[in-house]
């Protein structure tokens, strides 16, 4: 059975289950995303699992020739990369001593960002994701210290 318009709406929507579907699709296309297939099958509603099964069937039938599925997989890869950048920024902030984080945090948010070299931002979205991750922990740390 082919994918329907409603199937694509679910796959392209902006909630956690749909992201995991895109990550899994990216994994099938050989992109560096995690495969979440067991989670999708165990945690999805019957309708969501049906969509995943139709997606897998469409992938098998078309192999890697379906351009729409490839675009969705690449979107999943991009989302995964941005989530990783956010988590890297958050983890960097977590590893810093509290007092140094409080003293230098606002400057470090930009100066320690690995996605900026010599005042040039190679990938603005990753730069912002790392910065936001750093700020997420910085805000929590400052509130806890307050």
């Amino acid at each position: 059975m082919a994918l329907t318009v409603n199937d694509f709406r679910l796959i392209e929507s902006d909630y956690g289950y749909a992201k995991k579907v895109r990550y899994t699709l990216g994994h099938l296309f050989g992109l560096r995303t995690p495969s979440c297939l067991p989670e999708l099958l165990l945690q999805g509603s019957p309708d969501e699992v049906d969509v995943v099964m139709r997606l897998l069937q469409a992938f098998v039938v078309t192999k890697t020739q379906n351009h729409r599925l490839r675009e969705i997989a690449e979107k999943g890869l991009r989302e995964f990369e941005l989530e990783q950048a956010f988590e890297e920024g958050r983890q960097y902030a977590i590893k810093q001593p509290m007092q140094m984080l409080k003293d230098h945090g606002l400057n470090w948010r930009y100066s320690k960002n690995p996605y900026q070299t010599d005042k040039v931002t190679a990938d603005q979205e990753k730069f912002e994701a790392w910065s936001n991750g750093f700020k997420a922990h910085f805000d929590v740390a400052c509130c806890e210290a307050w």
Side-chain angles (χ1 to χ4, degrees):
M1 182 176 215
L3 292 167
T4 66
V5 172
N6 287 335
D7 294 344
F8 279 106
R9 281 189 189 129
L10 182 136
I11 294 167
E12 294 175 329
S13 65
D14 193 29
Y15 75 107
Y17 189 86
K19 278 187 176 183
K20 289 181 180 183
V21 171
R22 291 190 293 273
Y23 294 170
T24 300
L25 185 59
H27 185 79
L28 292 172
F29 273 96
L31 303 175
R32 297 174 67 174
T33 58
S35 174
C36 306
L37 191 56
E39 295 171 50
L40 294 174
L41 297 177
L42 293 172
Q43 296 175 359
S45 70
D47 290 339
E48 291 170 332
V49 171
D50 287 344
V51 171
V52 170
M53 296 308 290
R54 284 192 295 275
L55 176 67
L56 292 173
Q57 185 179 20
F59 179 81
V60 168
V61 169
T62 62
K63 303 297 183 226
T64 58
Q65 303 306 310
N66 188 316
H67 297 290
R68 176 111 186 251
L69 292 182
R70 177 164 280 290
E71 288 174 5
I72 294 169
E74 289 171 355
K75 178 183 178 188
L77 173 63
R78 186 64 178 165
E79 291 169 332
F80 182 69
E81 289 173 342
L82 294 176
E83 281 185 17
Q84 280 189 312
F86 180 91
E87 186 60 23
E88 288 170 8
R90 195 176 74 79
Q91 288 299 320
Y92 182 85
I94 287 170
K95 292 177 183 173
Q96 303 311 309
M98 181 67 75
Q99 189 58 46
M100 292 192 69
L101 184 64
K102 285 173 46 181
D103 292 345
H104 304 288
L106 294 176
N107 291 330
W108 283 356
R109 179 178 176 192
Y110 300 104
S111 65
K112 300 294 185 181
N113 192 321
Y115 297 101
Q116 177 174 326
T117 55
D118 299 326
K119 305 294 181 199
V120 176
T121 303
D123 186 332
Q124 186 64 34
E125 287 181 316
K126 283 185 181 179
F127 174 83
E128 290 174 12
W130 191 96
S131 179
N132 290 339
F134 183 94
K135 185 178 183 307
H137 179 72
F138 177 77
D139 289 346
V140 169
C142 287
C143 288
E144 286 177 0
W146 202 69

